[in-house]
Amino acid sequence: MIISMRPHATRDEIDHVCERIRDFGYRIHTIEGDERVVIGVVGVGDVTACLESLEATPGVERAVRISAPYKFVSKEFKKERTQMEIQGVELGGGEFVVMAGPCSVESERQIMETAEAVAAAGAKILRGGAYKPRTSPYDFQGMEEEGLKLLAKARAATGLGIITEVMSEKDVELVAEYADIMQVGARNMQNFSLLKALGKCGRPVMLKRGMSSTIKELLMSAEYVTAHGNPQVMLCERGIRTFETATRNTCDIAAVPVLNEMTHLPVILDPSHATGKRSLVPALARAGVAIGADGLIVEVHPCPEKAVSDGAQSLTLKGFAEMMRDLQPYIELWKESRVAEPVLV
Ligand code: PEP
Ligand code: MN
C-alpha cells in the first residue's frame, strides 16, 4: 500500500497514521518531501481493513493498494500452468480438452446417445446439468440425483469424464460422488458459502464467470476455492451482459489472454452460452483455440428442437462432429505453440 498524506499534514497526523499502520502489523517506509509525506506500507495483513481505516484517518489524502488482492491464483505465486488429470485427460497441459453434452440431462436415452456421439467425435468430458439454475421457477429444474446417476452410467459406457453443475453448498457432497469436475454456474460465481465448501470437495472445480463480473472478481472467487484448500480450479469465459442484443451474451474473448497473463489456472471457453446461437458456435470455438484457451465446453443435443433448455444454442450430434473435424488443424497449431512455450522455472 502507498499512503499519500495531505500537503502540509501535521507531524502529529503523520505519527498517528504510522501508529495505525503498525497496529495492523505492517512495516513502514516514509518518503518526506518538502510539501507532502508519502508512506510505503509493506508486510502481510488485512489490506482491505487497513485501507478503509486509513482513508478515514485525519491527514490522509489517498490510500492505494499496490499488490493484487488475490495471491494463490496469481502468476506471481506460481509461474507454471496448473495442470489437472481428469479421467486420464491432462487439462491445462499439452492437450486441448473439449467438453460437450446437453444443457440438461433429460433421459437415459438422450444422455447415452449424446455421450457416445461426442466421444466418437473427440470430446473427452461429458457435460450435462442435473441441477439447473433457471430464470423462471416454472421451468425445468433438473433431474437431480437421478440425472447424476445417468451421467455416471454414461461415463461407465464411454470412459468420458463428467462435468456437472452444483448449485448449492448442501449438494456439494452428493455431486462430488458422481462428478469429475464440479461446475459453478455464472449465477453462483459469488456464492461464497458454495465456494468455501468447494475448497473441501476433493474434485476439480470449473468456475464460470458471472454475467456482470469483472475478471478480477472471477479471480477473487477462484481465490476463495484455493484459499479453502482446493488448488484444482479452472476458469470459464461464457460471455457477459452488455447492451448488445444480437447475441445472448457478449463473449469477452480478450478475457482468455488476459487471464493467461494474470493466472496459472486453465481457461475454458463456452461458445454456446456466449452466443446463444448454434450457427455462431463453431466460429467462436475456433477463436477459443486460436487465442490460447485450454479447452471448450459446448452444448450438444441429439434433437435440439426438443431440448428442455438451451436448444437454440445446442449443436446437433452431426454439427458437433463437423465442428470437431474443422477444429483439428487449429488444435494441431495450438499443440505446437504449447510445446514451443518456454519452460518456466
Ligand atoms: C450451463 O452451463 O448450462 C449454464 C447454466 O451456464 P451459465 O452458468 O454459464 O449460464
Ligand atoms: Mn445451458
Side-chain angles (χ1 to χ4, degrees):
M1 279 173 281
I2 302 274
I3 315 301
S4 184
M5 299 298 293
R6 282 188 212 288
H8 310 295
T10 66
R11 179 49 52 192
D12 277 355
E13 284 173 336
I14 296 165
D15 289 346
H16 179 62
V17 167
C18 292
E19 207 178 293
R20 290 294 296 133
I21 295 169
R22 289 198 192 92
D23 288 346
F24 275 97
Y26 292 107
R27 281 172 290 120
I28 285 171
H29 297 274
T30 50
I31 303 166
E32 309 232 354
D34 287 341
E35 289 208 346
R36 92 166 67 225
V37 171
V38 174
I39 305 169
V41 181
V42 287
V44 180
D46 185 342
V47 183
T48 310
C50 185
L51 276 179
E52 280 174 7
S53 159
L54 292 175
E55 271 167 354
T57 306
V60 171
E61 186 172 78
R62 232 148 64 91
V64 185
R65 163 176 219 142
I66 302 296
S67 61
Y70 44 83
K71 194 166 47 184
F72 296 131
V73 306
S74 75
K75 270 262 166 80
E76 282 136 50
F77 180 74
K78 179 171 171 253
K79 286 196 208 64
E80 62 280 7
R81 292 177 183 279
T82 288
Q83 303 187 5
M84 39 197 107
E85 208 212 288
I86 296 143
Q87 281 273 112
V89 180
E90 191 72 61
L91 196 142
E95 212 173 328
F96 188 83
V97 178
V98 179
M99 316 183 195
C103 180
S104 306
V105 181
E106 298 167 11
S107 67
E108 176 162 352
R109 187 157 165 217
Q110 173 239 24
I111 199 68
M112 294 307 260
E113 195 182 338
T114 312
E116 301 282 0
V118 299
K124 292 288 155 58
I125 313 270
L126 177 67
R127 66 147 289 150
Y131 295 85
K132 293 305 301 176
R134 304 306 300 278
T135 302
S136 165
Y138 308 115
D139 288 347
F140 177 67
Q141 303 286 308
M143 291 181 76
E144 304 190 341
E145 191 171 1
E146 205 189 326
L148 296 175
K149 287 188 173 144
L150 293 179
L151 286 168
K153 202 163 177 184
R155 171 176 49 209
T158 59
L160 293 172
I162 299 296
I163 180 165
T164 194
E165 178 162 354
V166 57
M167 277 174 53
S168 157
E169 187 192 344
K170 73 174 172 32
D171 299 325
V172 166
E173 217 173 303
L174 178 71
V175 176
E177 273 177 40
Y178 296 91
D180 299 293
I181 306 173
M182 312 282 278
Q183 174 176 329
V184 177
R187 292 154 191 81
N188 259 326
M189 190 202 86
Q190 288 189 315
N191 179 340
F192 301 117
S193 333
L194 175 62
L195 299 178
K196 286 179 194 173
L198 288 167
K200 304 270 175 287
C201 75
R203 295 260 181 252
V205 172
M206 186 180 83
L207 204 51
K208 296 189 92 175
R209 180 178 180 182
M211 41 190 124
S212 305
S213 299
T214 62
I215 289 173
K216 186 169 145 193
E217 286 163 343
L218 173 61
L219 290 170
M220 290 305 290
S221 291
E223 186 80 9
Y224 259 91
V225 183
T226 51
H228 283 84
N230 186 356
Q232 296 206 296
V233 181
M234 65 195 88
L235 306 169
C236 177
E237 167 60 36
R238 46 77 74 204
I240 50 174
R241 187 165 278 183
T242 69
F243 53 83
E244 184 54 73
T245 54
T247 46
R248 181 179 178 183
N249 293 291
T250 298
C251 180
D252 180 8
I253 193 74
V256 177
V258 169
L259 286 167
N260 277 333
E261 274 186 10
M262 296 171 90
T263 179
H264 49 83
L265 300 177
V267 180
I268 307 295
L269 183 74
D270 175 346
S272 309
H273 292 86
T275 58
K277 279 188 191 161
R278 182 179 314 128
S279 65
L280 302 176
V281 169
L284 205 49
R286 271 198 311 277
V289 182
I291 208 158
D294 293 278
L296 300 171
I297 181 159
V298 183
E299 287 189 341
V300 181
H301 195 284
C303 183
E305 66 183 61
K306 290 196 184 147
V308 297
S309 58
D310 288 350
Q313 67 194 31
S314 300
L315 295 175
T316 59
L317 304 182
K318 184 163 162 277
F320 178 71
E322 282 167 9
M323 184 188 87
M324 290 297 279
R325 186 199 59 206
D326 295 346
L327 279 180
Q328 255 335 291
Y330 297 89
I331 293 177
E332 290 311 316
L333 288 171
W334 180 97
K335 281 187 188 151
E336 283 173 31
S337 73
R338 278 289 161 108
V339 171
E341 258 183 19
V343 179
L344 296 164
V345 282

